[in-house]
Structures are given as C-alpha cells and as structure tokens.
Amino acid sequence: METLFLVEVLQIITASSILFVWVVRYENIITEFQQYELPVWLRDLVGILKLSFAIMLLAGIYDEKFKLLGSSGLILLMLAALFTHIKVKNPFFKALPSLTLLTFSTLILLISYYA
C-alpha cells in the first residue's frame, strides 16, 4: 500500500514538473532549443510527446497501462535530454532536472511493473 502511494506521488510530481516547464516556462524551452541549434519541429515534437506522456502518468493513477506507457516514453525522452546536455557540454546542474525525471520515471515503471 505504501509503495503504491509512493508511485502515485512520483507520478504527480513528474507530470506536474513537465507540465510546468512545457506550459508555464515555455519561453525557456524556446531559448534552450535555439541555443542548442535544434530545429523547431523537434522542439514541437518533443513538447507534444512530453505533454502526452505526462498526461498519461496522471491517467495512470486510474489505469495501469497509461502509467507504464507514460513512464516508458518519459524514460526515452529523458535519456535523449541527458545525452543532449552532455553533447552541448552543459554544466551538471543544467542536466539535473532531466536526470531527476529519468530517475522518477524509472522508479515508476519498475515498481509498477514488478508490484
């Protein structure tokens, strides 16, 4: 029971973080993608996927299949984000949010899958 509560808390924190960054602080996303010289279509695709997976995490509180799909998708996107931070030689603190969300998404997937 406590483990399931922990997973739900991680789902809410992860989804809320993504929604906050990609909706409220979207100007920062635009700036980052420009600085990294990444195309606009990629930024838009990543945004659509991240928002979709975040919503799936929230829906996953009620339906397991959404939780597994949302967390799996976010794991892939957070790995890509980490590799991008490494490629552009960002300081560690700039990669920390993607590392944290990668960790949370991995915990959500593993605990849910094996519970």
Side-chain angles (χ1 to χ4, degrees):
M1 185 69 168
E2 292 173 10
T3 304
L4 296 177
F5 178 73
L6 171 65
V7 170
E8 287 180 3
V9 169
L10 289 175
Q11 286 173 252
I12 292 167
I13 291 170
T14 303
S16 299
S17 299
I18 290 167
L19 291 168
F20 179 77
V21 170
W22 282 85
V23 175
V24 177
R25 301 199 57 200
Y26 187 66
E27 290 298 319
N28 290 9
I29 297 296
I30 292 171
T31 302
E32 280 188 14
F33 271 74
Q34 288 172 344
Q35 288 172 345
Y36 304 157
E37 298 179 358
L38 298 170
V40 172
W41 67 265
L42 181 61
R43 181 195 68 213
D44 294 344
L45 177 62
V46 168
I48 290 166
L49 291 172
K50 280 192 179 182
L51 293 172
S52 298
F53 292 138
I55 291 166
M56 285 181 205
L57 276 186
L58 294 176
I61 293 171
Y62 303 102
D63 190 334
E64 190 80 10
K65 67 182 172 227
F66 289 115
K67 179 183 354 181
L68 298 175
L69 183 57
S71 60
S72 297
L74 286 174
I75 288 168
L76 293 174
L77 291 175
M78 291 306 134
L79 283 171
L82 273 176
F83 287 126
T84 301
H85 285 294
I86 292 167
K87 182 180 177 192
V88 300
K89 298 182 170 93
N90 270 341
F92 178 72
F93 76 91
K94 286 205 169 204
L96 193 55
S98 53
L99 179 60
T100 302
L101 293 178
L102 171 62
T103 302
F104 287 177
S105 298
T106 303
L107 286 171
I108 292 165
L109 179 66
L110 292 176
I111 293 170
S112 300
Y113 187 77
Y114 290 109

